[in-house]
Amino acid sequence: MSRGFASNRIALLGVVLFACFTGLGVRLVWLHVVDREDILRPVVRARPMLIPEMARRGDILDARGARLATSRSEIVLGVDPHSLLPKDRKKWPELAALIGMPEEELGEKFTPRYAAPAPETPPPQPVVTKAENADDGGDGVAAFTFDLSPTAVAAESAGEEETDPSADPRQPRPILWVKLRDDVPESLHEKIRRLNIQGVYGRRVYRRVYPSNQLGSHLIGFVNREQQAAAGLESYADFYLRGQQGWRLGERDGRNRELPQFAVREVPRFDGYNVRLSIDSTVQDIVEQELAALAAKFRPAKASIIVSDTDGFILAMANHPTFNPNEYNKVPKEEEVRMKNVAVTDVYEPGSVFKIVPAAAALEERLVSSRTVIDCGVDRLTYNGRVLKLPAEDHAMGRLSVAEIISHSSNRGAAQLGMMLGEERLHRYASAFGFGARLGFPNGEVRGKLHPVKKWYPIDITRIPMGHTVSSTVLQMHQAMSVIATGGVLLRPQIIRQITSPTGDVVYAYDRAEIGRAVSPETAAEVARMLIGVTRQGGTATNAAIEGFDVAGKTGTSQKIIDGRYSNRHHVGSFVGFFPAQRPRVVISVVVDDADRAAAGGNGYGRVVAAPSFKRIGERLIPILGIRPGGEPGVPRLLARHEGGRR
Amino acid sequence: MKSKSPVFANQLLLCVLVTFCTGGSIGLAAVWMRHQISVTARSNRDLAAEVARLERLIDEQKTLLETEQAPDKLRGLNATMRLGLVPMSELPVLQVTENVIERMARRATRGPLIETAAPPAPVTFRLARN
């Protein structure tokens, strides 16, 4: 009896338990299969969380690793006035002191407010990147969108106030975000966080900082507040610098905190690569100091200085006037020309510096030697059946050797060298020296003007050899002189040495790049020897000479075209050269535009306004770059002579 | 038939209890494991956030250092603090125009006894006009 009863009880218990389990199972199936979508819908809408991870823009470094442009993490600090707690009120004065805001203003921003209802017209739909939850099979139940574009992320932190996006736009909407300050440094943000005021929070953004201010600003360019590379290398190397944003798709809890265990998809961010330049900050600073001094003394319209090595790498490039990329938005609209890298964007007639082209060409073609004497006293010559008037000289020259034509800068001598060459060969050599074409400088470079021979006027054969009716950028003239310094090879001007990863690995290294050979090494050496005469006694630029070193260079002074005519009162003075002449280490170009008003004698000749700068820069570079007098000792050698002087 | 019924019930109960215990254990283990996964994930995230925070702070300090070392700022400090620092401009090479051997010999034997005193500066008088 009792056993039967016990058996029944056990059987009953078993049945009850089984029934319970069955019921539980049925309920589970009901919840997970039948009601799944209805239950999941609000959860899936509320819980997904997309966390963008801003990639850090890479640094721009100088040749020694100093940062010329870097990205600093800053916080856009704001408050949700509707989340503030009364207990935190006593912390407000401390917050106000930390962010440097008057307490009254802070109190105003902390007051809960509502935005006026929006007008009836629907707002334009933003272009969005759609992220869909893979688990939902694209059935539309859990589809949600986020705007991941960098502009949108930047814009998100740019607004002063934001309302609740889920609120009815036809009703007054609570303002859930009021910006307090948009440039809170990380260290200050730490202190603010420690105050633990509920409702005060920040959004992290990367801001571009140029620690050296205007140093190399024309080369580096800048990134605007929308985080778009606007100019210079920032724009050119943007592909390497910008990196790639990452994002995490996960879930959040009721307090809006991320639940990392439910992360369903993660795209890691890739920080931008660093770009290491050939620019040497020390050299750049010397150049910019010299430009500032030059500007103070001569008040030119503009001026440019370029320093490069003999592998085509630019060590310094600066222009006057300049600007500070940290404050690019403070440059007045009418002065925006200050932000142009005029050394590559503007052209000028190079004047006498161009004489190295016909001289080198005539030597290369064996038409003359450096000792060949040419009568520079004649003012007319017959060429191709026409009597051509030769250009005027500053003073009577008489009979000069080719070396003297260069050292004395004889226009008529250069014209005769051009006539010996003829149009075709002169054009070919000018092209080989890099005129009339872009040299491949990173950005903004213009090609200058070297007309095809068929467009030349008959008189051009006498004017082009002296650097008229041909125009070039400062960089082109610099590279043309570099042809002599490098032994006859035209090199591509380069400014980027390496692309490196954030961990320091070299991704790509730039090497010397030859465009082509212009003249033979022997001809280049011969021209270099002739150019030494320019800075020696009797030359046109003795004030460019550096004691103990052989300096090879050439002055240039060209008249500016004002109202369609060559002006006698507006000149571009230049000096382009290199040293030591026998084993060149640096090529320096100084071009000063319209310094006539303040120049001695009212003419901004190259020897007056540019040559002294060359000397000062050269002297300061000697200890910094470890330049030693090379080749032959600095014994004066006769390379140029005056008519009737020593021979 | 009668005798088999309690045995079956006992076995069923036992099976249910075993299933219950096993399922419970597995469930608890799963819960514990999920909790551990959450803790580990959160800990990882916190560590990653901390690393990122420190990197940002280091970056900020580096930028600050670079800014303070800007050439114009250093020049300003040089002037304000009256340090008198001047840029290096002296030529590292001295050009010797005289006989090098004689010059070296003179430098090697130079001493207080051999060194001649500097000649006295000439005294000049200027007559005032009345």
Side-chain angles (χ1 to χ4, degrees):
Chain A
M1 178 76 183
S2 61
R3 280 185 67 183
F5 179 72
S7 302
N8 289 339
R9 277 192 304 177
I10 289 168
L12 188 66
L13 186 63
V15 168
V16 168
L17 277 172
F18 185 75
C20 286
F21 269 100
T22 307
L24 203 61
V26 168
R27 182 62 182 155
L28 282 172
V29 169
W30 192 266
L31 288 173
H32 281 264
V33 179
V34 181
D35 276 354
R36 181 174 181 271
E37 286 183 11
D38 290 338
I39 294 166
L40 270 180
R41 191 174 291 120
V43 176
V44 163
R45 277 189 183 160
R47 290 186 65 173
M49 185 181 204
L50 186 88
I51 304 164
E53 281 194 70
M54 296 278 283
R56 183 181 181 279
R57 191 175 174 81
D59 294 338
I60 297 179
L61 312 168
D62 85 338
R64 298 171 196 255
R67 295 205 250 187
L68 297 172
T70 188
S71 293
R72 185 172 62 194
S73 165
E74 286 183 351
I75 314 295
V76 181
L77 191 72
V79 62
D80 175 1
H82 295 273
S83 301
L84 293 168
L85 298 176
K87 71 179 175 67
D88 289 334
R89 204 178 180 90
K90 59 180 181 294
K91 299 173 187 170
W92 292 8
E94 200 176 341
L95 176 66
L98 281 174
I99 62 173
M101 182 181 280
E103 281 183 46
E104 297 76 31
E105 193 181 341
L106 189 85
E108 210 171 281
K109 286 181 185 286
F110 275 28
T111 309
R113 282 178 295 149
Y114 292 83
E120 286 300 315
T121 49
Q125 291 297 312
V127 179
V128 294
T129 305
K130 186 174 278 190
E132 291 187 359
N133 195 330
D135 295 339
D136 298 316
D139 56 5
V141 173
F144 52 93
T145 56
F146 296 98
D147 194 346
L148 275 172
S149 65
T151 322
V153 175
E156 193 177 275
S157 55
E160 292 291 326
E161 290 179 353
E162 284 174 25
T163 54
D164 182 1
S166 61
D168 185 355
R170 290 164 300 183
Q171 302 295 324
R173 291 157 297 159
I175 293 174
L176 300 183
W177 163 265
V178 180
K179 190 198 282 185
L180 295 175
R181 194 178 142 180
D182 64 356
D183 58 349
V184 177
E186 287 284 346
S187 46
L188 180 58
H189 185 238
E190 291 277 314
K191 292 177 189 169
I192 294 168
R193 270 180 56 197
R194 273 187 227 121
L195 286 178
N196 198 21
I197 303 175
Q198 187 173 320
V200 173
Y201 61 101
R203 294 165 178 172
R204 185 161 281 112
V205 291
Y206 279 112
R207 291 265 159 74
R208 207 61 171 159
V209 181
Y210 303 92
S212 300
N213 298 321
Q214 78 279 358
L215 197 78
S217 55
H218 290 113
L219 287 170
I220 297 164
F222 60 90
V223 173
N224 63 21
R225 286 187 76 80
E226 283 75 42
Q227 298 304 303
Q228 288 170 333
L233 278 168
E234 291 277 25
S235 170
Y236 177 75
D238 188 49
F239 175 75
Y240 295 113
L241 288 166
R242 67 170 179 250
Q244 190 170 335
Q245 284 199 63
W247 49 270
R248 287 199 309 275
L249 186 59
E251 295 185 8
R252 60 185 156 200
D253 63 9
R255 293 181 179 179
N256 205 28
R257 291 176 306 192
E258 185 193 359
L259 295 168
Q261 65 272 28
F262 295 123
V264 289
R265 210 182 288 176
E266 182 169 359
V267 176
R269 74 169 202 268
F270 287 99
D271 288 344
Y273 289 142
N274 298 329
V275 174
R276 184 182 284 262
L277 305 184
S278 57
I279 293 293
D280 185 324
S281 290
T282 314
V283 180
Q284 182 74 26
D285 184 46
I286 288 170
V287 164
E288 294 197 7
Q289 278 186 65
E290 185 58 41
L291 263 177
L294 203 147
K297 187 174 180 185
F298 295 112
R299 301 194 302 280
K302 57 188 176 185
S304 302
I305 299 180
I306 301 175
V307 179
S308 73
D309 64 11
T310 49
D311 283 330
F313 285 100
I314 308 283
L315 302 179
M317 179 187 271
N319 303 295
H320 165 82
T322 186
F323 73 105
N324 182 351
N326 290 312
E327 300 171 346
Y328 72 91
N329 49 349
K330 292 183 183 170
V331 176
K333 194 87 177 164
E334 62 276 11
E335 289 181 28
E336 277 182 356
V337 70
R338 280 164 52 187
M339 298 202 273
K340 265 173 61 179
N341 186 4
V342 292
V344 295
T345 60
D346 287 11
V347 294
Y348 75 111
E349 289 195 352
S352 296
V353 188
F354 190 85
K355 286 171 186 165
I356 60 170
V357 176
L363 287 172
E364 181 77 1
E365 295 289 328
R366 305 278 190 270
L367 299 174
V368 293
S369 74
S370 60
R371 293 187 181 83
T372 305
V373 175
I374 294 173
D375 186 0
C376 300
V378 293
D379 62 347
R380 285 169 202 276
L381 278 175
T382 305
Y383 179 77
N384 284 349
R386 284 172 180 264
V387 177
L388 298 179
K389 188 181 177 190
L390 298 185
E393 302 276 23
D394 280 345
H395 54 274
M397 292 282 186
R399 291 170 62 80
L400 300 175
S401 70
V402 173
E404 286 170 323
I405 287 171
I406 295 298
S407 64
H408 292 12
S409 197
S410 167
N411 294 337
R412 288 177 180 171
Q416 290 182 64
L417 288 175
M419 291 159 87
M420 285 180 198
L421 285 163
E423 284 95 342
E424 291 293 343
R425 280 192 290 193
L426 182 59
H427 184 272
R428 178 155 50 85
Y429 277 98
S431 300
F433 271 75
F435 291 96
R438 291 192 185 93
L439 299 173
F441 188 76
N443 59 349
E445 187 191 11
V446 297
R447 61 173 68 242
K449 201 188 293 174
L450 176 66
H451 293 301
V453 173
K454 60 183 178 188
K455 287 190 177 177
W456 285 19
Y457 291 103
I459 197 77
D460 284 351
I461 191 66
T462 66
R463 299 301 189 267
I464 288 176
M466 56 179 271
H468 280 212
T469 61
V470 59
S471 66
S472 74
T473 62
V474 177
L475 182 68
Q476 278 176 333
M477 196 59 248
H478 180 88
Q479 288 304 102
M481 184 59 81
S482 298
V483 167
I484 307 300
T486 56
V489 177
L490 177 65
L491 297 173
R492 187 179 305 288
Q494 296 189 88
I495 198 161
I496 302 176
R497 281 268 188 200
Q498 285 177 340
I499 307 290
T500 59
S501 71
T503 53
D505 300 323
V506 177
V507 176
Y508 190 81
Y510 290 81
D511 206 355
R512 170 189 167 105
E514 295 184 3
I515 295 175
R517 176 165 286 283
V519 290
S520 66
E522 296 75 26
T523 301
E526 188 64 28
V527 176
R529 277 193 288 274
M530 294 197 297
L531 290 172
I532 295 173
V534 174
T535 60
R536 292 249 173 95
Q537 196 64 39
T540 54
T542 50
N543 50 358
I546 299 172
E547 193 184 342
F549 290 83
D550 282 335
V551 173
K554 186 74 194 77
T555 52
T557 307
S558 58
Q559 295 168 293
K560 291 183 73 174
I561 297 174
I562 307 289
D563 298 329
R565 303 188 69 175
Y566 282 109
S567 166
N568 289 323
R569 290 189 296 177
H570 300 276
H571 295 88
V572 179
S574 57
F575 186 88
V576 186
F578 55 88
F579 79 99
Q582 286 80 12
R583 231 173 16 185
R585 287 285 311 280
V586 284
V587 185
I588 304 173
S589 298
V590 182
V591 178
V592 186
D593 187 335
D594 209 353
D596 302 70
R597 282 164 298 174
N603 285 317
Y605 290 126
R607 66 168 181 271
V608 176
V609 297
S613 293
F614 176 96
K615 175 189 167 75
R616 284 192 290 270
I617 292 169
E619 283 178 346
R620 292 188 67 182
L621 292 184
I622 290 165
I624 288 162
L625 300 179
I627 302 172
R628 296 281 179 269
E632 300 158 51
V635 179
R637 296 184 301 122
L638 181 65
L639 279 169
R641 60 176 171 75
H642 270 298
E643 192 68 31
R646 287 184 300 145
R647 287 175 187 260
Chain B
M1 192 72 180
K2 240 183 177 184
S3 59
K4 281 184 181 175
S5 170
V7 177
F8 169 72
N10 285 341
Q11 282 178 344
L12 180 68
L13 191 62
L14 192 68
C15 283
V16 168
L17 284 173
V18 167
T19 309
F20 194 75
C21 289
T22 310
S25 301
I26 291 170
L28 278 175
V31 168
W32 178 82
M33 199 170 69
R34 288 191 66 152
H35 175 71
Q36 286 305 308
I37 289 170
S38 303
V39 169
T40 310
R42 192 160 292 155
S43 161
N44 279 350
R45 189 203 55 187
D46 291 348
L47 281 173
E50 183 65 10
V51 168
R53 188 184 71 86
L54 289 174
E55 278 177 356
R56 284 194 298 269
L57 284 173
I58 290 168
D59 257 3
E60 188 188 343
Q61 294 306 315
K62 276 186 182 172
T63 309
L64 200 65
L65 278 174
E66 299 276 1
T67 309
E68 291 302 315
Q69 288 175 357
D72 47 354
K73 205 149 197 171
L74 292 179
R75 269 195 292 277
L77 283 175
N78 188 25
T80 317
M81 299 168 79
R82 297 182 181 178
L83 297 176
L85 300 173
V86 290
M88 187 166 56
S89 62
E90 198 178 339
L91 296 180
V93 178
L94 183 67
Q95 294 297 312
V96 178
T97 50
E98 58 192 308
N99 187 315
V100 179
I101 297 170
E102 281 178 13
R103 178 185 162 84
M104 289 174 71
R106 196 167 62 250
R107 281 168 63 92
T109 56
R110 188 170 57 187
L113 295 174
I114 299 168
E115 196 74 48
T116 54
V123 179
T124 56
F125 297 96
R126 185 173 292 172
L127 295 175
R129 283 186 188 172
N130 288 327

